[in-house]
Amino acid sequence: MKVLVPVKRVVDHNVKIRVKGDGSGVDLANVKMSINPFDEIAVEEAVRLKEAGVATEIVVVSIGPVQAQDVLRTALAVGADRAILIRAEVMPEPLAVAKLLTAVVGREQPGLVLLGKQAIDDDSNQTGQMLSALLGWSQATFASRIAIAGDRATVTREVDGGLQVIDVALPAVVSVDLRLNEPRYATLPNIMKAKKKPLEEVPVGDFGIDVALRLTVLATEEPKLRGPGVRVASAAELVDKLKAEAGIL
Amino acid sequence: MTILLLAEHDNIALSELTARALTAASQMGDAVDILVAGQGAQGVAATAAQLAGVRRVLLAEAPALEQRLAEPTAALLVALAADYAAIVAPATSTGKNVLPRVAALLDVMQVSEIVEVVAPDTFKRPIYAGNAVQTVRSGDAVKVVTVRTAAFAPTASGETAVEIVTVTDAGDPGLSRFVENRFAATDRPDLGAARIVVSGGRALGSAEKFRETILPLADRMGAAVGASRAAVDAGYAPNDWQVGQTGKVVAPDLYIACGISGAIQHLAGMKDARIIVAINKDADAPIFQVADYGLVGDLFELVPELARQL
Ligand SMILES: Cc1cc2nc3c(=O)[nH]c(=O)nc-3n(C[C@H](O)[C@H](O)[C@H](O)COP(=O)(O)OP(=O)(O)OC[C@H]3O[C@@H](n4cnc5c(N)ncnc54)[C@H](O)[C@@H]3O)c2cc1C
Ligand SMILES: Nc1ncnc2c1ncn2[C@@H]1O[C@H](COP(=O)(O)O)[C@@H](O)[C@H]1O
C-alpha cells in the first residue's frame, strides 16, 4: 500500500512570532521555519508502517514556496521515498490545499493519506477532513493509535470526552494527534542519502485548480495583553487576595 | 439571515457549549435553528428548544448519528444547507471533525474557532497558538464557522419552548463504524465550562502524585482538573484534561497552574481566564508573565497548604 503524507512548512514551534506594527500580518522575515510538528508525526507513522511491512512506498507532498524543499528533504531523511513540491508563491487555504491533494491522490492512488490534524501557523484543522470529503473516503481525525488489518483501519481518536475507537474502510484519510508516536531524528548519513532521493517540482498553475483566497484578512493584531500581576508570599495571602481583590471564593 | 447550529450533546444532555455557540450564531443573523443529530435524543431537543432566541429545533435520529460520525453527520448538514446562510458549530472534537467536511462539500472555506463576530461575514480568530488575532471576511455564499466556546457566554434558557421538527437523516455511506468510547466517568465539572480549573504539569512527577496533590484542591474548590501536555504525555493525567493549543481552550473565572512552565502552546489554552494563579518553584518561569497572582515555591507544600486555607 502506498501512503501519501502532506507536509507543510511553518514557523518553528519554538519561535514566538511578532505581529507587524501596521497590522498587515505576522513578521516572518528571518524566522526559523520547520516541518509542521503534526506532519513530522505523520511521516514517522508512515515510516513505521513501512518498517512493519504494511506500507510499500511513502510519498510526501508539500504546497508552498521553493523553500518548502527543506521540509520535504527532512521527511526524505527520516524514511520517505519520494517527494513532490507544488510550487505556490501565495500559500493556498485549506480548501485549495485539499483540492490540490485530491489531484495528487488521483495520480498517485495511495491507500492511505496520513496528515497532521492542524498546521500550527493558521491553526485551521480542516485540510484532512476536506480532503476526505472531496475524495468520498472515510475519515479518522485526531489519531493517537492506528492499527491496519487488510482493507480496514482501527483508529483511536483523541476526543473531548477521552478516547474514541472507530473502524474505517480503506482508502482513508487519517489526521494525526501529538501522542501517536515520538518522531525519530534524521541521522547524518540519512540526511546525505535524502539529497539523492527524487523530488519533483510542479507549478501550482499546472493543476488548473482555482486557488484564489476565499478569506480576506482585514487586520492582524496582537492578542490582548494581561496586566502585570503580583507575587504573594504564602497560600494564606493568596486566599485573602482571591477573596478581597478578585472577588472569587 | 438564517443560521443552522449543530448541537453538542451525548444523546442524554445538551452540552452548555451549544448555548455558548448560540450566542455567536445569534450575532450573525436574525434566526437560528438548532440541529440535534443523534439517537434517542428527544430530551436533548427539548432542552435546546428552550434556549432563548431559537427559531426551531430540527431533530434527526439514526443509528449512524448516535456518535455523530463524520460522514453521515456531514451528509445530513449538507442536505439541510440550502435553507441557511451559515452553518455553525462549537469547536468541539465533534464540530472540528464534521464542519470542514461540510465546508468542502459546499465548496466553502471554513472559518475556524472564531472568538468574535465583527459582522455576519467578518470574524476574529486566533492564529499561531493565539499569538496573533486575525480579522477575516468570508466571501463565500454560505458561511461555515466553528466557535471557540470559551470566548462567548452561554445564551440563557427562555420561558417558552419552540417547535421541534423531525428531519430524516441523509443516510450513511457506511465508511466508518463506531467501536467504543473510552470515557472515564466523573463527577467533576466539565473542563470546557467550569468556573474554576486547577491544572498540573510535568512537575507532579507521577500519576499518583498528580492525584494526591491536585485532586484534593480541585475537589475542595469544586473545580475541573486540567493538565499540561507534558503531564498528559507522561501518563499523569488523561488526554481529555489537556489544556492548550491542541487540547482544550478554557476561560474560567479562576485558573490555577501548578508546576506548569507556561509554554506558548499551554498559554494558548488558558490565557483568557479572568484570574490566573501560578504556583512554580522557578521565579523566572514564563507562566508568571500571565499570572495575576504568583506564588514561588514547592507545589508539594503550597498546594496542600492552599487547600487547607480554603
Ligand atoms: C505542536 C505542539 C502543540 C502543543 N500543544 C500543547 C498543549 O495543547 N498544551 C500544553 O500544555 N502543551 C502543549 N505543547 C507542549 C509545550 O510546548 C510544553 O512542552 C508543555 O506545555 C510543557 O509542560 P509543563 O509546563 O508541564 O512542563 P515543563 O515545561 O517541564 O515545566 C515544569 C515546570 O514545573 C516547575 N516545577 C518543577 N518542580 C516543581 C515543584 N516541586 N514545585 C513547583 N514547581 C515545580 C518547573 O520550574 C517548570 O516551570 C505543545 C507543543 C507542540 C510542539
Ligand atoms: N500547504 C500545505 N502543504 C502540504 N500539506 C499541507 C498544507 N497545508 C496543510 N497541509 C496538511 O494539512 C494539515 C492540516 O492543516 P490545516 O488544515 O491548515 O490546519 C497539515 O498538518 C498538513 O499535513
PDB file of all heavy atoms in Angstrom, chain A residues 73 76 190-198:
ATOM      1  N   ARG A  73      12.876  17.451   2.231  1.00  0.00           N
ATOM      2  CA  ARG A  73      14.152  16.747   2.444  1.00  0.00           C
ATOM      3  C   ARG A  73      14.199  16.162   3.861  1.00  0.00           C
ATOM      4  O   ARG A  73      14.725  15.066   4.066  1.00  0.00           O
ATOM      5  CB  ARG A  73      15.336  17.696   2.242  1.00  0.00           C
ATOM      6  CG  ARG A  73      15.526  18.154   0.807  1.00  0.00           C
ATOM      7  CD  ARG A  73      16.226  17.126  -0.075  1.00  0.00           C
ATOM      8  NE  ARG A  73      16.275  17.572  -1.460  1.00  0.00           N
ATOM      9  CZ  ARG A  73      16.214  16.772  -2.512  1.00  0.00           C
ATOM     10  NH1 ARG A  73      16.112  15.456  -2.359  1.00  0.00           N
ATOM     11  NH2 ARG A  73      16.257  17.253  -3.722  1.00  0.00           N
ATOM     12  N   LEU A  76      12.271  13.056   3.725  1.00  0.00           N
ATOM     13  CA  LEU A  76      13.008  12.011   2.996  1.00  0.00           C
ATOM     14  C   LEU A  76      14.115  11.434   3.886  1.00  0.00           C
ATOM     15  O   LEU A  76      14.409  10.239   3.840  1.00  0.00           O
ATOM     16  CB  LEU A  76      13.613  12.589   1.705  1.00  0.00           C
ATOM     17  CG  LEU A  76      12.611  13.006   0.615  1.00  0.00           C
ATOM     18  CD1 LEU A  76      13.316  13.779  -0.501  1.00  0.00           C
ATOM     19  CD2 LEU A  76      11.865  11.798   0.047  1.00  0.00           C
ATOM     20  N   ASN A 190      21.642   9.538   6.704  1.00  0.00           N
ATOM     21  CA  ASN A 190      20.330   9.559   6.056  1.00  0.00           C
ATOM     22  C   ASN A 190      20.024  10.925   5.446  1.00  0.00           C
ATOM     23  O   ASN A 190      19.326  11.019   4.438  1.00  0.00           O
ATOM     24  CB  ASN A 190      19.242   9.140   7.034  1.00  0.00           C
ATOM     25  CG  ASN A 190      19.255   7.643   7.278  1.00  0.00           C
ATOM     26  OD1 ASN A 190      19.815   6.888   6.477  1.00  0.00           O
ATOM     27  ND2 ASN A 190      18.671   7.215   8.378  1.00  0.00           N
ATOM     28  N   ILE A 191      20.526  11.976   6.083  1.00  0.00           N
ATOM     29  CA  ILE A 191      20.344  13.314   5.512  1.00  0.00           C
ATOM     30  C   ILE A 191      21.095  13.377   4.179  1.00  0.00           C
ATOM     31  O   ILE A 191      20.583  13.914   3.187  1.00  0.00           O
ATOM     32  CB  ILE A 191      20.841  14.403   6.491  1.00  0.00           C
ATOM     33  CG1 ILE A 191      19.933  14.430   7.726  1.00  0.00           C
ATOM     34  CG2 ILE A 191      20.880  15.775   5.819  1.00  0.00           C
ATOM     35  CD1 ILE A 191      20.403  15.298   8.871  1.00  0.00           C
ATOM     36  N   MET A 192      22.294  12.792   4.139  1.00  0.00           N
ATOM     37  CA  MET A 192      23.059  12.764   2.887  1.00  0.00           C
ATOM     38  C   MET A 192      22.309  11.955   1.830  1.00  0.00           C
ATOM     39  O   MET A 192      22.163  12.380   0.689  1.00  0.00           O
ATOM     40  CB  MET A 192      24.463  12.160   3.115  1.00  0.00           C
ATOM     41  CG  MET A 192      25.333  12.941   4.108  1.00  0.00           C
ATOM     42  SD  MET A 192      25.336  14.731   3.849  1.00  0.00           S
ATOM     43  CE  MET A 192      26.296  14.791   2.344  1.00  0.00           C
ATOM     44  N   LYS A 193      21.816  10.798   2.236  1.00  0.00           N
ATOM     45  CA  LYS A 193      21.105   9.931   1.277  1.00  0.00           C
ATOM     46  C   LYS A 193      19.849  10.614   0.737  1.00  0.00           C
ATOM     47  O   LYS A 193      19.479  10.445  -0.434  1.00  0.00           O
ATOM     48  CB  LYS A 193      20.702   8.618   1.969  1.00  0.00           C
ATOM     49  CG  LYS A 193      21.699   7.484   1.738  1.00  0.00           C
ATOM     50  CD  LYS A 193      21.093   6.161   2.161  1.00  0.00           C
ATOM     51  CE  LYS A 193      21.797   5.629   3.400  1.00  0.00           C
ATOM     52  NZ  LYS A 193      21.050   4.675   4.187  1.00  0.00           N
ATOM     53  N   ALA A 194      19.194  11.409   1.607  1.00  0.00           N
ATOM     54  CA  ALA A 194      17.936  12.051   1.205  1.00  0.00           C
ATOM     55  C   ALA A 194      18.156  13.017   0.049  1.00  0.00           C
ATOM     56  O   ALA A 194      17.246  13.275  -0.738  1.00  0.00           O
ATOM     57  CB  ALA A 194      17.329  12.789   2.401  1.00  0.00           C
ATOM     58  N   LYS A 195      19.370  13.547  -0.043  1.00  0.00           N
ATOM     59  CA  LYS A 195      19.655  14.507  -1.121  1.00  0.00           C
ATOM     60  C   LYS A 195      19.548  13.843  -2.484  1.00  0.00           C
ATOM     61  O   LYS A 195      19.367  14.511  -3.490  1.00  0.00           O
ATOM     62  CB  LYS A 195      21.064  15.094  -0.938  1.00  0.00           C
ATOM     63  CG  LYS A 195      21.158  15.914   0.351  1.00  0.00           C
ATOM     64  CD  LYS A 195      22.307  16.896   0.339  1.00  0.00           C
ATOM     65  CE  LYS A 195      22.186  17.881   1.489  1.00  0.00           C
ATOM     66  NZ  LYS A 195      23.332  17.910   2.370  1.00  0.00           N
ATOM     67  N   LYS A 196      19.695  12.515  -2.509  1.00  0.00           N
ATOM     68  CA  LYS A 196      19.648  11.808  -3.795  1.00  0.00           C
ATOM     69  C   LYS A 196      18.258  11.255  -4.118  1.00  0.00           C
ATOM     70  O   LYS A 196      18.032  10.741  -5.199  1.00  0.00           O
ATOM     71  CB  LYS A 196      20.665  10.664  -3.789  1.00  0.00           C
ATOM     72  CG  LYS A 196      22.090  11.154  -3.622  1.00  0.00           C
ATOM     73  CD  LYS A 196      23.094  10.143  -4.164  1.00  0.00           C
ATOM     74  CE  LYS A 196      24.509  10.540  -3.825  1.00  0.00           C
ATOM     75  NZ  LYS A 196      24.833  10.402  -2.385  1.00  0.00           N
ATOM     76  N   LYS A 197      17.348  11.340  -3.138  1.00  0.00           N
ATOM     77  CA  LYS A 197      16.007  10.806  -3.416  1.00  0.00           C
ATOM     78  C   LYS A 197      15.246  11.754  -4.337  1.00  0.00           C
ATOM     79  O   LYS A 197      15.482  12.961  -4.318  1.00  0.00           O
ATOM     80  CB  LYS A 197      15.254  10.609  -2.095  1.00  0.00           C
ATOM     81  CG  LYS A 197      15.802   9.461  -1.237  1.00  0.00           C
ATOM     82  CD  LYS A 197      14.943   9.226  -0.012  1.00  0.00           C
ATOM     83  CE  LYS A 197      15.460   8.055   0.819  1.00  0.00           C
ATOM     84  NZ  LYS A 197      14.707   7.898   2.071  1.00  0.00           N
ATOM     85  N   PRO A 198      14.315  11.222  -5.146  1.00  0.00           N
ATOM     86  CA  PRO A 198      13.626  12.073  -6.127  1.00  0.00           C
ATOM     87  C   PRO A 198      12.725  13.133  -5.487  1.00  0.00           C
ATOM     88  O   PRO A 198      11.966  12.830  -4.554  1.00  0.00           O
ATOM     89  CB  PRO A 198      12.798  11.085  -6.955  1.00  0.00           C
ATOM     90  CG  PRO A 198      12.900   9.770  -6.297  1.00  0.00           C
ATOM     91  CD  PRO A 198      13.968   9.809  -5.260  1.00  0.00           C
TER      92      PRO A 198
END
